[in-house]
DNA sequence: AAAAATATGTTGCATTTACAACAATATTAT
DNA sequence: ATAATATTGTTGTAAATGCAACATATTTTT
């Protein structure tokens, strides 16, 4: 075997890295979830669902803070909330935070109903995705991902 | 503590699931990589870079097969390749696969140079992201993610 | 042999997304 | 006090993305 070939074989490829594996797995997962939402006739987008869930555990949050949670910019966060409000799943009200006028929000009765309905609809489908994987591994991955994400948050420049 | 409160506290939220954790971590990672590419004046997009790397390890692959690898549709795969070809990093040629006319491709000398240049530029930045995490954990996560992704591939409907 | 279905790549379009500019208000600096 | 800066939300726009439709060629069905 020539030296060149040997070097080539040992080359570290980005597409073999954990960063790419993460992106690919996430893209697949997103595709599957979108297909699931379509199949189950859920009339929220995935992003609206995630936003609604985030609002449900952070009552009275303002738009910018929500944007930081869901990792979208203020513009698109506003648009998602427009849709959720128009569908009657959240209410928005003007309030102050640090003496600034902000738009805060809360989940409505209907929103909570919708959230629970979606949860119950998708639960068993999502659970089945990891049936071949040791539950302990799943937990460990989630934990490590969380530590990783917290490290990433320290490095990324967020301009929201 | 009332029963209702107890139930509420025990509610399983989508935003606490491994599926959402995966998406959030991946989104952050993507943001960081885009910022890195900008900061280092790399004149490929992340997607072009990943495609170029994939082509480099799959010489003579056709467009549709590449699309399946990079999880993009045929249209956008074609557009990414247009850009890479225009920049001189790949060559495309007509060939046959199963008696069908297909566009195959290979990486050029310049493409290989560019790929190695980018690899060397970003390597230490990416490595530093996991410096706080036990390398064994990183390996384990990558392994588990891969098993997970393979399970997902069995479930997702790919129409490429 | 003719028709229907499949495979591959491209084009057009509608949706999503990110980013910059703006409007309104409040704080800080000079 | 006035000017500069910062916070929050909205609007506009350009780029990315996915999907459907198309063009071409081949295979399969009838």
């Amino acid at each position: 075997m020539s030296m060149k070939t040997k070097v080539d074989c040992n080359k570290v490829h980005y597409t073999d890295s954990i960063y790419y594996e993460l992106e690919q797995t996430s893209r697949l997962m997103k595709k599957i979830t979108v297909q699931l939402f379509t199949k189950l006739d859920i009339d929220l987008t995935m992003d609206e669902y995630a936003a609604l869930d985030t609002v449900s555990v952070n009552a009275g949050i303002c738009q910018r803070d929500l944007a930081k949670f869901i990792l979208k910019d203020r513009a698109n966060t506003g648009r998602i909330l427009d849709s959720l409000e128009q569908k009657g799943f959240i209410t928005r009200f003007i309030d102050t935070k640090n003496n600034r006028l902000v738009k805060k929000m809360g989940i409505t009765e209907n929103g909570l109903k919708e959230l629970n309905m979606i949860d119950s609809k998708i639960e068993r489908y999502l659970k089945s995705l990891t049936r071949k994987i040791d539950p302990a591994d799943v937990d460990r991955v989630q934990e490590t991902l969380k530590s990783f994400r917290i490290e990433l948050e320290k490095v990324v420049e967020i301009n929201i």
Side-chain angles (χ1 to χ4, degrees), chain A residues 126-135 137-138:
Chain A
L126 293 186
K127 275 274 171 61
S128 75
L129 294 177
T130 53
R131 72 189 185 287
K132 290 272 185 63
I133 315 230
D134 181 351
D137 282 347
V138 175

Side-chain angles (χ1 to χ4, degrees), chain A residues 114-138:
Chain A
E114 178 77 4
L115 193 59
N116 289 329
M117 191 269 286
I118 297 177
D119 284 340
S120 64
K121 268 189 177 178
I122 68 177
E123 188 187 10
R124 77 186 177 86
Y125 284 94
L126 293 186
K127 275 274 171 61
S128 75
L129 294 177
T130 53
R131 72 189 185 287
K132 290 272 185 63
I133 315 230
D134 181 351
D137 282 347
V138 175

Side-chain angles (χ1 to χ4, degrees), chain A residues 1-11:
Chain A
M1 184 189 286
S2 77
M3 190 57 194
K4 186 164 191 320
T5 307
K6 203 171 179 184
V7 169
D8 244 332
C9 288
N10 290 339
K11 177 160 173 35

Side-chain angles (χ1 to χ4, degrees), chain A residues 59-61 85 91-96 102-106:
Chain A
I61 196 175
E85 185 180 35
T91 47
R92 290 202 271 189
F93 51 93
I94 303 292
D95 201 347
T96 58
V102 293
K103 273 192 172 177
K104 293 185 176 177
M105 68 205 75

Side-chain angles (χ1 to χ4, degrees), chain A residues 18-79:
Chain A
I18 189 173
Y19 319 108
Y20 193 63
E21 183 68 48
L22 194 58
E23 187 186 329
Q24 294 286 89
T25 311
S26 171
R27 284 175 64 86
L28 265 183
M29 188 63 220
K30 185 160 197 174
K31 261 185 212 294
I32 288 173
T33 313
V34 168
Q35 286 174 5
L36 186 58
F37 271 50
T38 305
K39 183 176 150 194
L40 298 179
D41 278 318
I42 294 171
D43 69 339
L44 288 187
T45 67
M46 269 189 69
D47 287 338
E48 289 172 355
Y49 168 61
L52 187 60
D53 190 69
T54 305
V55 171
S56 83
V57 281
N58 296 280
I61 196 175
C62 78
Q63 288 196 193
R64 185 171 211 164
D65 289 341
L66 179 68
K68 288 172 188 164
F69 268 120
I70 64 178
L71 297 181
K72 307 223 176 261
D73 64 5
R74 282 173 290 156
N76 287 302
T77 303
R79 290 178 189 127

